[in-house]
Amino acid sequence: MSQAKVPAWVNIALIPVLNILLAFLVSGLVILAIGENPIEAAGYLIYGAFGYDEGIGYTLYYATNLIFTGLAVSVAFKGGLFNIGGEGQAYIGGLGVGLICLSLDHTMPFYVIAPLAVIGAAVFGAAWGYIPAYLQARRGSHIVITTIMFNFIASSLMVYLIVNWLKEDGRMAPNSRTFEENAWLPYLHEIFSPLGIEIGDSPLNLAFVWALLCCVFVWGLIWHTRWGYQLRTLGTNPTAARYAGIDTAKVTIWAMLISGGLAGFVGLNEIMGVNHNLLLNFTAGYGFAGIAVSLMGRNHPIGIILAAVLFGALYQGGAELAFEIPTITPEIVVVIQGLVILFSGALEHMFKDRIEGFFIRRAVA
């Protein structure tokens, strides 16, 4: 079967859409099984995600984190690396953001703190990705095993640092003190309001714009640079890459540095954009969800944006659904999210051969 005879849009758009529709069909059966109307539930979910300004803002806020982690997975995956350490890299990236804000918010203005926080998120996240990358490139340790381990190490390290060193005095909660307002990323509704544009109050902040700029950066880096060609060659055929003179160890390390830096930007959205202090568990599983976002988006920035918005809609719309129909508990919403991940990830090739065969037979006829 010749892949070249299959239109590109079949794999890029048709198959992912069919997988998502099948996931929603099975989700509808689950809702029906607990005695609720799937059509009504779908209406609440869509309305909660896109039916009003605040809902859209929350959807895009969730999508911002997923864009960062989806891009992180994508860059590594293009080099044949399955980086499932985005959770830990995002955690440590948030630590970098928090340290910058805590150190400078009393003395520096926003326009100084913001770029330093971006650098801090990238450097700390990249540093956490460097060690697994080095072990893979120089010692042959499998990247999946080491990145899993480093997720747990990052979690333990954050608990130790916040509880013993960074927690605000006189408080039981394991949080740092609140940053001064000059160390807050502005909310988009605050930016647009003076212009006469009302978009509703939500946590959506300037990190969303940065996420879109990161998509442009990744697109240019992977598809329009020499290094991106080397990365894609390594991911396609490591043996051919070595014979072509590509330093595969160096490309591997740089891929993980960039991947970790992108994941670290979750800290911008959560620490500097919303919570305004350093706290535990702010990553909330975004690093793992980013794997599904990247796979669903076919490791392309545009696809990642669309997949991130879909998952953001499931997060926000699922909360609305659980509120409006109490019998559909948050756990059922997690099941729906899991089904989307299942059919878009593990079962993404279920229809692939049949659909490709149909288009090939049609082309031959």
Side-chain angles (χ1 to χ4, degrees), residues 56-114:
I56 295 172
Y58 272 91
T59 296
L60 296 180
Y61 153 67
Y62 293 127
T64 301
N65 292 326
L66 295 168
I67 290 172
F68 287 135
T69 55
L71 289 174
V73 173
S74 173
V75 170
F77 200 79
K78 286 295 182 182
L81 305 168
F82 196 25
N83 176 21
I84 57 175
E87 191 80 1
Q89 292 148 18
Y91 221 163
I92 300 302
L95 174 63
V97 173
L99 292 177
I100 292 291
C101 293
L102 289 171
S103 301
L104 301 178
D105 62 345
H106 285 301
T107 58
M108 294 293 177
F110 172 77
Y111 61 82
V112 173
I113 295 175

Side-chain angles (χ1 to χ4, degrees), residues 99-325:
L99 292 177
I100 292 291
C101 293
L102 289 171
S103 301
L104 301 178
D105 62 345
H106 285 301
T107 58
M108 294 293 177
F110 172 77
Y111 61 82
V112 173
I113 295 175
L116 290 177
V118 170
I119 294 171
V123 169
F124 274 62
W128 205 249
Y130 171 77
I131 302 174
Y134 176 84
L135 294 174
Q136 163 93 8
R138 304 297 186 188
R139 294 291 181 263
S141 301
H142 202 287
I143 199 77
V144 171
I145 303 301
T146 53
T147 50
I148 289 176
M149 293 170 58
F150 269 70
N151 285 335
F152 289 99
I153 295 172
S155 179
S156 299
L157 177 63
M158 288 291 287
V159 170
Y160 172 78
L161 290 175
I162 292 179
V163 171
N164 293 283
W165 295 95
L166 299 172
K167 184 170 72 71
E168 184 178 10
D169 293 336
R171 292 185 60 182
M172 293 297 294
N175 302 339
S176 73
R177 65 170 176 83
T178 301
F179 309 147
E180 298 296 325
E181 290 193 19
N182 57 305
W184 296 10
L185 282 181
Y187 295 111
L188 290 191
H189 66 263
E190 294 176 345
I191 295 175
F192 288 124
S193 182
L195 303 176
I197 303 173
E198 299 296 333
I199 61 173
D201 294 353
S202 73
L204 184 64
N205 59 77
L206 208 56
F208 176 68
V209 178
W210 181 247
L212 298 180
L213 292 175
C214 287
C215 290
V216 176
F217 165 75
V218 169
W219 171 76
L221 179 70
I222 292 180
W223 282 277
H224 296 278
T225 66
R226 179 180 178 182
W227 183 85
Y229 175 77
Q230 293 177 345
L231 178 71
R232 288 181 285 124
T233 302
L234 172 63
T236 303
N237 192 326
T239 303
R242 284 191 291 270
Y243 272 104
I246 296 173
D247 188 340
T248 56
K250 184 177 180 180
V251 173
T252 294
I253 291 173
W254 272 105
M256 283 299 295
L257 287 174
I258 295 170
S259 179
L262 288 166
F265 290 143
V266 170
L268 289 175
N269 191 36
E270 290 296 322
I271 299 300
M272 195 175 179
V274 177
N275 293 293
H276 307 134
N277 63 5
L278 193 56
L279 70 164
L280 297 177
N281 301 321
F282 66 86
T283 51
Y286 290 116
F288 297 114
I291 299 171
V293 168
S294 180
L295 292 174
M296 186 185 298
R298 292 298 189 264
N299 297 305
H300 191 283
I302 294 177
I304 287 170
I305 292 173
L306 296 175
V309 170
L310 171 63
F311 273 85
L314 290 175
Y315 284 17
Q316 170 59 18
E320 182 84 13
L321 176 60
F323 177 79
E324 295 291 346
I325 307 179

